[in-house]
Amino acid sequence: MKDNSHESAQSAGEQKLRKLAEAQLKQKHAKASLPEIGSLDDTKKLLEELQIHQVELVMQNEELKRAQAEIIFEREKYADLYHFAPVAYFIFDDNDIILDLNMKACELLGYDRAYLLNRPLTAYISPDSLQTFHVHRQHVRLSGVSKTCELQIRRKPENPVFVHARTTLVEQPQYIVDDGELADGQKLVWRTVMTNITVLRQVTRDLARSRNLLMVLSQGSQAVHLATTPEEVYRAVGEQTEHLGSELGIFSLGEKNELRLSYTTLSENILNAIAQDFGQSVDELSLPVLEGGFLAHVIATKETQYRGAPDNFQVLGADTDAVARTNFLVGLFNIKQMIVAPLVLDEEVVALLMVIGDKLEQSDVAVVDIFASQVAISLHKAQLAEELRASVERERALARVDSLTGAKNRRAIYEFAEETLDVAKRYKKPLSLIMLDTDYFKKVNDTYGHLVGDHALQHLVGLLKSKLRAADDLGRYGGEEFLIVLPETDEANAAQLAERLRLLVEQNPLVDNGDEVFMTISLGVIQWHSALRNFESFLNGADQALYAAKTAGRNKVVTYTEYKKPLEGFAIC
């Protein structure tokens, strides 16, 4: 890195050195007498010594030049390292005036070097950090060793940044500035190295927030995982979002590209306001998914998305009506931030999980996305479990229903009657049975055929059920026999019902392909009493009353009391 200025300085230095040497030589000659030259040999020896000494001086001079060039090179090299260092260097005096700084320091503050020199460093430290900086520097002064602290720095073009600062007190009486002159009066010089830790602080904060958020959600993930119905999954998810101080909405994606509300933690008043604005009922509340809207984007990308003020939410869509309704929702909920996560099963979006709050951040998206994946799996599992339960219930119900008539089969009506009897005896409530049979049903089959006979039995069951209460039950006991169980009904009321049923059947024939198929029934009625001893006796009594009705000419109602005189000590209980 040599140049003409360096060569000129070097030549001037040599001339100055020669003059000093000549002056010193004259002084030596004045103080000391020259040796006498006795002979030609002595002269030659002296000349030889002078020549050797001259060569030595030339060699020393060359060595000094090399050393000087190395010093210049090293100085320039370290100047480059200083100015282009990845950290900011500040050198300032005891009054905080900046004496020197590198390029990274200029970049940190947002000004050029010429502007910053001779300005106070404290002018660029945020007021919140000034006290920290003064205390920090005092600790360095008292301890004599370098110290570190965190400061907030004000910069010209952007928001404030956070730095890690290490400050050292330079122990020298004077400070040498760039031109080589000594700066008078500079007794104390400070050096501070600053590293921008804004991104590191944000990452650390985001990691801590994500860890806490994940911890809160993971505590509820077990409840979500153990949920066996979609409602339980929704409730468990809602409880976790409430812990975060947020509101939740889960919307199922319908076939017509609209989102139907499945669950929400919103209050009933807010739901009513939304339903009124959308012209819908709360139970059938749905949101349209329009092109260009935020929700449509989430569904299309299958990615969890964040929106926060002052973003343009455009939740529903980009057209005028959608924007107006979005603004209504934003104002109603006081939405500041929202995260919407798709619930994806088999590569298809089946629902959207919408979290609304004023403490959500972009960094929460990753955690909510993980949680949404768990919710989707748990929801799918709960739906499968619910479908399985429904299937089992259907199979169980079919196993207890007569396939022809739709009434309970013999086993089911038997069990129902037995269970109802246990309740009646426990609470001392009346219980009655009606055993009935069609009259001459074989003639129906012979005259109209078995298919019409099947239709006749179905018609009969429909008539019977039309007069029964919700608590009553009907079962096909065998062939054309049916059993009716009447909880909390005594024999007199049971007999009245039996007579109404008899008339109903008699007066309402089956109409099949233009044919009227008339039928009559015989009925036996019995009320439970202690003399019957057990359930089998109870059923047998109903059957005996039915037999009596048939013996009496059919199309009749006979009670057990009429069939058999009351026993001594008979008591209705």
Side-chain angles (χ1 to χ4, degrees), residues 418-461:
E418 194 171 31
E419 292 169 0
T420 308
L421 177 60
D422 290 339
V423 173
K425 289 193 292 186
R426 185 181 306 118
Y427 296 102
K428 299 186 183 301
K429 298 289 185 179
L431 172 65
S432 295
L433 301 178
I434 298 177
M435 185 81 78
L436 65 95
D437 191 6
T438 58
D439 299 328
Y440 304 111
F441 192 75
K442 184 175 182 301
K443 290 182 179 180
V444 175
N445 286 329
D446 293 343
T447 303
Y448 301 101
H450 288 281
L451 181 58
V452 174
D454 290 345
H455 293 170
L457 290 178
Q458 293 168 350
H459 176 67
L460 172 63
V461 169

Short mmCIF file of all heavy atoms in Angstrom, two decimals, residues 418-461:
data_model
loop_
_atom_site.label_atom_id
_atom_site.label_comp_id
_atom_site.label_asym_id
_atom_site.label_seq_id
_atom_site.Cartn_x
_atom_site.Cartn_y
_atom_site.Cartn_z
N GLU A 418 -90.40 -56.87 31.94
CA GLU A 418 -89.78 -57.33 33.20
C GLU A 418 -89.14 -56.17 33.94
O GLU A 418 -89.28 -56.04 35.17
CB GLU A 418 -88.76 -58.41 32.87
CG GLU A 418 -88.28 -59.20 34.09
CD GLU A 418 -87.45 -60.39 33.69
OE1 GLU A 418 -86.75 -60.34 32.66
OE2 GLU A 418 -87.48 -61.40 34.43
N GLU A 419 -88.41 -55.30 33.21
CA GLU A 419 -87.77 -54.14 33.84
C GLU A 419 -88.82 -53.17 34.39
O GLU A 419 -88.66 -52.61 35.49
CB GLU A 419 -86.88 -53.43 32.83
CG GLU A 419 -85.65 -54.22 32.40
CD GLU A 419 -84.95 -53.61 31.21
OE1 GLU A 419 -85.43 -52.57 30.71
OE2 GLU A 419 -83.93 -54.17 30.76
N THR A 420 -89.89 -52.99 33.64
CA THR A 420 -90.95 -52.08 34.08
C THR A 420 -91.64 -52.61 35.33
O THR A 420 -92.03 -51.84 36.22
CB THR A 420 -91.98 -51.88 32.96
OG1 THR A 420 -91.31 -51.49 31.76
CG2 THR A 420 -92.99 -50.80 33.33
N LEU A 421 -91.78 -53.94 35.43
CA LEU A 421 -92.36 -54.54 36.61
C LEU A 421 -91.49 -54.29 37.84
O LEU A 421 -92.00 -54.00 38.94
CB LEU A 421 -92.57 -56.04 36.41
CG LEU A 421 -93.12 -56.81 37.61
CD1 LEU A 421 -94.49 -56.27 38.05
CD2 LEU A 421 -93.22 -58.31 37.30
N ASP A 422 -90.18 -54.40 37.69
CA ASP A 422 -89.27 -54.14 38.81
C ASP A 422 -89.44 -52.71 39.32
O ASP A 422 -89.47 -52.47 40.54
CB ASP A 422 -87.82 -54.35 38.37
CG ASP A 422 -87.50 -55.82 38.13
OD1 ASP A 422 -88.24 -56.67 38.67
OD2 ASP A 422 -86.53 -56.10 37.39
N VAL A 423 -89.58 -51.76 38.41
CA VAL A 423 -89.77 -50.36 38.80
C VAL A 423 -91.11 -50.18 39.51
O VAL A 423 -91.21 -49.50 40.55
CB VAL A 423 -89.70 -49.43 37.57
CG1 VAL A 423 -90.06 -47.99 37.94
CG2 VAL A 423 -88.31 -49.48 36.94
N ALA A 424 -92.16 -50.82 38.98
CA ALA A 424 -93.50 -50.70 39.59
C ALA A 424 -93.51 -51.26 41.00
O ALA A 424 -94.12 -50.67 41.91
CB ALA A 424 -94.51 -51.43 38.72
N LYS A 425 -92.88 -52.39 41.21
CA LYS A 425 -92.85 -52.97 42.55
C LYS A 425 -92.02 -52.12 43.51
O LYS A 425 -92.38 -51.96 44.68
CB LYS A 425 -92.27 -54.39 42.48
CG LYS A 425 -93.21 -55.39 41.81
CD LYS A 425 -92.77 -56.83 42.01
CE LYS A 425 -91.50 -57.15 41.28
NZ LYS A 425 -91.16 -58.60 41.36
N ARG A 426 -90.89 -51.54 43.00
CA ARG A 426 -90.03 -50.72 43.86
C ARG A 426 -90.76 -49.47 44.34
O ARG A 426 -90.66 -49.09 45.51
CB ARG A 426 -88.75 -50.35 43.12
CG ARG A 426 -87.75 -49.60 43.99
CD ARG A 426 -86.50 -49.22 43.21
NE ARG A 426 -85.89 -50.37 42.57
CZ ARG A 426 -85.75 -50.50 41.25
NH1 ARG A 426 -86.18 -49.54 40.45
NH2 ARG A 426 -85.19 -51.56 40.75
N TYR A 427 -91.47 -48.81 43.44
CA TYR A 427 -92.14 -47.56 43.78
C TYR A 427 -93.64 -47.74 44.04
O TYR A 427 -94.34 -46.74 44.18
CB TYR A 427 -91.92 -46.55 42.65
CG TYR A 427 -90.46 -46.18 42.48
CD1 TYR A 427 -89.70 -46.73 41.45
CD2 TYR A 427 -89.85 -45.30 43.36
CE1 TYR A 427 -88.35 -46.40 41.30
CE2 TYR A 427 -88.51 -44.96 43.22
CZ TYR A 427 -87.77 -45.52 42.18
OH TYR A 427 -86.44 -45.18 42.05
N LYS A 428 -94.09 -49.00 44.09
CA LYS A 428 -95.50 -49.32 44.38
C LYS A 428 -96.44 -48.58 43.43
O LYS A 428 -97.40 -47.93 43.84
CB LYS A 428 -95.83 -48.99 45.84
CG LYS A 428 -95.00 -49.78 46.85
CD LYS A 428 -95.44 -49.54 48.25
CE LYS A 428 -94.55 -50.27 49.24
NZ LYS A 428 -94.52 -51.72 49.04
N LYS A 429 -96.13 -48.67 42.16
CA LYS A 429 -96.95 -48.07 41.11
C LYS A 429 -97.71 -49.18 40.37
O LYS A 429 -97.21 -50.30 40.23
CB LYS A 429 -96.07 -47.30 40.10
CG LYS A 429 -95.30 -46.14 40.70
CD LYS A 429 -96.23 -45.00 41.07
CE LYS A 429 -95.43 -43.79 41.55
NZ LYS A 429 -96.30 -42.66 41.90
N PRO A 430 -98.92 -48.88 39.86
CA PRO A 430 -99.66 -49.89 39.11
C PRO A 430 -99.01 -50.18 37.76
O PRO A 430 -98.35 -49.32 37.18
CB PRO A 430 -101.03 -49.26 38.94
CG PRO A 430 -100.79 -47.79 39.01
CD PRO A 430 -99.66 -47.61 39.98
N LEU A 431 -99.19 -51.37 37.26
CA LEU A 431 -98.67 -51.79 35.97
C LEU A 431 -99.64 -52.79 35.37
O LEU A 431 -100.06 -53.75 36.04
CB LEU A 431 -97.28 -52.43 36.10
CG LEU A 431 -96.73 -53.08 34.84
CD1 LEU A 431 -96.47 -52.03 33.75
CD2 LEU A 431 -95.43 -53.85 35.15
N SER A 432 -100.00 -52.58 34.11
CA SER A 432 -100.94 -53.49 33.44
C SER A 432 -100.36 -53.96 32.12
O SER A 432 -99.53 -53.27 31.50
CB SER A 432 -102.28 -52.79 33.20
OG SER A 432 -102.91 -52.48 34.43
N LEU A 433 -100.84 -55.13 31.68
CA LEU A 433 -100.48 -55.69 30.39
C LEU A 433 -101.74 -55.94 29.58
O LEU A 433 -102.80 -56.26 30.14
CB LEU A 433 -99.74 -57.02 30.55
CG LEU A 433 -98.44 -57.03 31.35
CD1 LEU A 433 -97.90 -58.47 31.43
CD2 LEU A 433 -97.41 -56.11 30.74
N ILE A 434 -101.61 -55.80 28.27
CA ILE A 434 -102.69 -56.21 27.35
C ILE A 434 -102.08 -57.22 26.39
O ILE A 434 -101.12 -56.92 25.67
CB ILE A 434 -103.24 -55.02 26.55
CG1 ILE A 434 -103.86 -53.97 27.48
CG2 ILE A 434 -104.27 -55.50 25.52
CD1 ILE A 434 -104.36 -52.72 26.74
N MET A 435 -102.62 -58.41 26.40
CA MET A 435 -102.22 -59.43 25.44
C MET A 435 -103.35 -59.52 24.41
O MET A 435 -104.51 -59.68 24.77
CB MET A 435 -102.05 -60.78 26.13
CG MET A 435 -101.51 -61.87 25.21
SD MET A 435 -99.72 -61.79 25.01
CE MET A 435 -99.20 -62.52 26.57
N LEU A 436 -103.00 -59.37 23.11
CA LEU A 436 -104.05 -59.40 22.08
C LEU A 436 -103.65 -60.32 20.93
O LEU A 436 -102.46 -60.56 20.70
CB LEU A 436 -104.33 -57.98 21.58
CG LEU A 436 -103.20 -57.25 20.83
CD1 LEU A 436 -103.34 -57.44 19.32
CD2 LEU A 436 -103.21 -55.77 21.17
N ASP A 437 -104.70 -60.79 20.22
CA ASP A 437 -104.47 -61.68 19.09
C ASP A 437 -105.52 -61.37 18.03
O ASP A 437 -106.64 -60.96 18.33
CB ASP A 437 -104.60 -63.14 19.53
CG ASP A 437 -104.11 -64.11 18.47
OD1 ASP A 437 -103.57 -63.66 17.44
OD2 ASP A 437 -104.28 -65.34 18.66
N THR A 438 -105.10 -61.49 16.76
CA THR A 438 -106.06 -61.28 15.67
C THR A 438 -107.04 -62.46 15.60
O THR A 438 -106.69 -63.59 15.93
CB THR A 438 -105.33 -61.15 14.33
OG1 THR A 438 -104.54 -62.33 14.11
CG2 THR A 438 -104.43 -59.92 14.33
N ASP A 439 -108.23 -62.16 15.16
CA ASP A 439 -109.27 -63.21 15.05
C ASP A 439 -109.31 -63.76 13.63
O ASP A 439 -109.41 -62.99 12.66
CB ASP A 439 -110.63 -62.63 15.43
CG ASP A 439 -110.67 -62.12 16.86
OD1 ASP A 439 -109.97 -62.69 17.71
OD2 ASP A 439 -111.37 -61.11 17.12
N TYR A 440 -109.20 -65.06 13.53
CA TYR A 440 -109.32 -65.75 12.24
C TYR A 440 -108.37 -65.15 11.20
O TYR A 440 -108.73 -64.93 10.03
CB TYR A 440 -110.76 -65.68 11.72
CG TYR A 440 -111.77 -66.22 12.70
CD1 TYR A 440 -112.68 -65.35 13.31
CD2 TYR A 440 -111.81 -67.58 13.02
CE1 TYR A 440 -113.61 -65.83 14.22
CE2 TYR A 440 -112.75 -68.07 13.93
CZ TYR A 440 -113.65 -67.19 14.53
OH TYR A 440 -114.56 -67.67 15.44
N PHE A 441 -107.16 -64.92 11.59
CA PHE A 441 -106.21 -64.28 10.66
C PHE A 441 -105.84 -65.20 9.51
O PHE A 441 -105.47 -64.74 8.42
CB PHE A 441 -104.95 -63.84 11.42
CG PHE A 441 -104.06 -62.93 10.61
CD1 PHE A 441 -104.41 -61.59 10.42
CD2 PHE A 441 -102.91 -63.39 10.01
CE1 PHE A 441 -103.61 -60.74 9.67
CE2 PHE A 441 -102.10 -62.54 9.26
CZ PHE A 441 -102.45 -61.21 9.09
N LYS A 442 -106.02 -66.50 9.70
CA LYS A 442 -105.70 -67.44 8.64
C LYS A 442 -106.57 -67.19 7.42
O LYS A 442 -106.15 -67.36 6.28
CB LYS A 442 -105.89 -68.87 9.14
CG LYS A 442 -105.50 -69.96 8.14
CD LYS A 442 -105.62 -71.33 8.78
CE LYS A 442 -105.17 -72.42 7.81
NZ LYS A 442 -105.94 -72.43 6.56
N LYS A 443 -107.83 -66.72 7.67
CA LYS A 443 -108.72 -66.44 6.55
C LYS A 443 -108.19 -65.29 5.70
O LYS A 443 -108.37 -65.25 4.48
CB LYS A 443 -110.11 -66.08 7.06
CG LYS A 443 -110.87 -67.26 7.66
CD LYS A 443 -112.27 -66.83 8.11
CE LYS A 443 -113.04 -68.01 8.69
NZ LYS A 443 -114.41 -67.60 9.12
N VAL A 444 -107.54 -64.32 6.35
CA VAL A 444 -106.95 -63.20 5.61
C VAL A 444 -105.87 -63.72 4.68
O VAL A 444 -105.83 -63.36 3.48
CB VAL A 444 -106.38 -62.15 6.58
CG1 VAL A 444 -105.65 -61.03 5.82
CG2 VAL A 444 -107.47 -61.56 7.44
N ASN A 445 -104.99 -64.55 5.19
CA ASN A 445 -103.92 -65.11 4.35
C ASN A 445 -104.48 -65.96 3.22
O ASN A 445 -104.01 -65.89 2.08
CB ASN A 445 -102.96 -65.94 5.20
CG ASN A 445 -102.05 -65.08 6.07
OD1 ASN A 445 -101.71 -63.96 5.69
ND2 ASN A 445 -101.68 -65.58 7.24
N ASP A 446 -105.50 -66.76 3.57
CA ASP A 446 -106.06 -67.65 2.54
C ASP A 446 -106.81 -66.86 1.48
O ASP A 446 -106.80 -67.23 0.30
CB ASP A 446 -107.01 -68.66 3.20
CG ASP A 446 -106.27 -69.65 4.10
OD1 ASP A 446 -105.03 -69.74 3.96
OD2 ASP A 446 -106.91 -70.29 4.96
N THR A 447 -107.48 -65.78 1.90
CA THR A 447 -108.31 -65.02 0.95
C THR A 447 -107.47 -64.05 0.11
O THR A 447 -107.65 -63.95 -1.11
CB THR A 447 -109.39 -64.23 1.72
OG1 THR A 447 -110.17 -65.13 2.50
CG2 THR A 447 -110.29 -63.46 0.75
N TYR A 448 -106.57 -63.34 0.75
CA TYR A 448 -105.84 -62.27 0.05
C TYR A 448 -104.37 -62.60 -0.23
O TYR A 448 -103.69 -61.87 -0.95
CB TYR A 448 -105.91 -60.98 0.87
CG TYR A 448 -107.32 -60.50 1.11
CD1 TYR A 448 -107.95 -60.72 2.34
CD2 TYR A 448 -108.05 -59.84 0.11
CE1 TYR A 448 -109.24 -60.28 2.58
CE2 TYR A 448 -109.34 -59.40 0.34
CZ TYR A 448 -109.93 -59.63 1.58
OH TYR A 448 -111.22 -59.20 1.80
N GLY A 449 -103.87 -63.62 0.39
CA GLY A 449 -102.47 -63.98 0.21
C GLY A 449 -101.63 -63.50 1.38
O GLY A 449 -102.00 -62.60 2.14
N HIS A 450 -100.46 -64.12 1.48
CA HIS A 450 -99.57 -63.82 2.63
C HIS A 450 -99.00 -62.40 2.56
O HIS A 450 -98.73 -61.81 3.60
CB HIS A 450 -98.45 -64.85 2.70
CG HIS A 450 -98.91 -66.19 3.17
ND1 HIS A 450 -99.14 -66.48 4.48
CD2 HIS A 450 -99.23 -67.32 2.47
CE1 HIS A 450 -99.55 -67.73 4.62
NE2 HIS A 450 -99.61 -68.28 3.39
N LEU A 451 -98.82 -61.87 1.35
CA LEU A 451 -98.30 -60.51 1.25
C LEU A 451 -99.29 -59.52 1.84
O LEU A 451 -98.91 -58.62 2.61
CB LEU A 451 -98.00 -60.17 -0.21
CG LEU A 451 -97.42 -58.77 -0.44
CD1 LEU A 451 -96.11 -58.58 0.32
CD2 LEU A 451 -97.21 -58.51 -1.94
N VAL A 452 -100.57 -59.69 1.51
CA VAL A 452 -101.59 -58.83 2.09
C VAL A 452 -101.69 -59.08 3.59
O VAL A 452 -101.91 -58.15 4.38
CB VAL A 452 -102.95 -59.05 1.40
CG1 VAL A 452 -104.05 -58.25 2.11
CG2 VAL A 452 -102.87 -58.65 -0.07
N GLY A 453 -101.51 -60.35 3.98
CA GLY A 453 -101.50 -60.66 5.41
C GLY A 453 -100.41 -59.91 6.15
O GLY A 453 -100.63 -59.39 7.26
N ASP A 454 -99.21 -59.79 5.50
CA ASP A 454 -98.12 -59.00 6.10
C ASP A 454 -98.53 -57.53 6.21
O ASP A 454 -98.29 -56.87 7.23
CB ASP A 454 -96.85 -59.13 5.27
CG ASP A 454 -96.23 -60.52 5.35
OD1 ASP A 454 -96.61 -61.28 6.27
OD2 ASP A 454 -95.37 -60.84 4.50
N HIS A 455 -99.15 -57.03 5.15
CA HIS A 455 -99.59 -55.64 5.17
C HIS A 455 -100.63 -55.41 6.27
O HIS A 455 -100.67 -54.36 6.91
CB HIS A 455 -100.18 -55.25 3.82
CG HIS A 455 -99.17 -55.23 2.71
ND1 HIS A 455 -99.52 -55.11 1.38
CD2 HIS A 455 -97.81 -55.31 2.74
CE1 HIS A 455 -98.43 -55.12 0.65
NE2 HIS A 455 -97.38 -55.24 1.45
N ALA A 456 -101.49 -56.43 6.48
CA ALA A 456 -102.53 -56.33 7.51
C ALA A 456 -101.90 -56.22 8.90
O ALA A 456 -102.36 -55.44 9.75
CB ALA A 456 -103.45 -57.54 7.44
N LEU A 457 -100.83 -57.00 9.17
CA LEU A 457 -100.16 -56.92 10.47
C LEU A 457 -99.48 -55.56 10.64
O LEU A 457 -99.49 -54.98 11.74
CB LEU A 457 -99.13 -58.04 10.59
CG LEU A 457 -99.68 -59.47 10.73
CD1 LEU A 457 -98.55 -60.49 10.79
CD2 LEU A 457 -100.57 -59.58 11.97
N GLN A 458 -98.89 -55.04 9.58
CA GLN A 458 -98.27 -53.72 9.65
C GLN A 458 -99.33 -52.64 9.91
O GLN A 458 -99.11 -51.72 10.70
CB GLN A 458 -97.52 -53.42 8.34
CG GLN A 458 -96.31 -54.33 8.12
CD GLN A 458 -95.75 -54.22 6.71
OE1 GLN A 458 -96.38 -53.61 5.83
NE2 GLN A 458 -94.59 -54.83 6.48
N HIS A 459 -100.47 -52.79 9.25
CA HIS A 459 -101.59 -51.86 9.46
C HIS A 459 -102.08 -51.93 10.90
O HIS A 459 -102.34 -50.89 11.53
CB HIS A 459 -102.72 -52.20 8.48
CG HIS A 459 -103.94 -51.38 8.66
ND1 HIS A 459 -104.00 -50.02 8.42
CD2 HIS A 459 -105.20 -51.73 9.11
CE1 HIS A 459 -105.19 -49.56 8.67
NE2 HIS A 459 -105.96 -50.58 9.09
N LEU A 460 -102.16 -53.14 11.44
CA LEU A 460 -102.61 -53.33 12.81
C LEU A 460 -101.67 -52.64 13.80
O LEU A 460 -102.13 -51.93 14.70
CB LEU A 460 -102.68 -54.83 13.12
CG LEU A 460 -102.95 -55.22 14.58
CD1 LEU A 460 -104.32 -54.71 15.02
CD2 LEU A 460 -102.84 -56.73 14.77
N VAL A 461 -100.40 -52.85 13.64
CA VAL A 461 -99.41 -52.23 14.55
C VAL A 461 -99.51 -50.71 14.47
O VAL A 461 -99.42 -50.01 15.50
CB VAL A 461 -97.99 -52.72 14.21
CG1 VAL A 461 -96.94 -51.88 14.95
CG2 VAL A 461 -97.84 -54.19 14.57
#
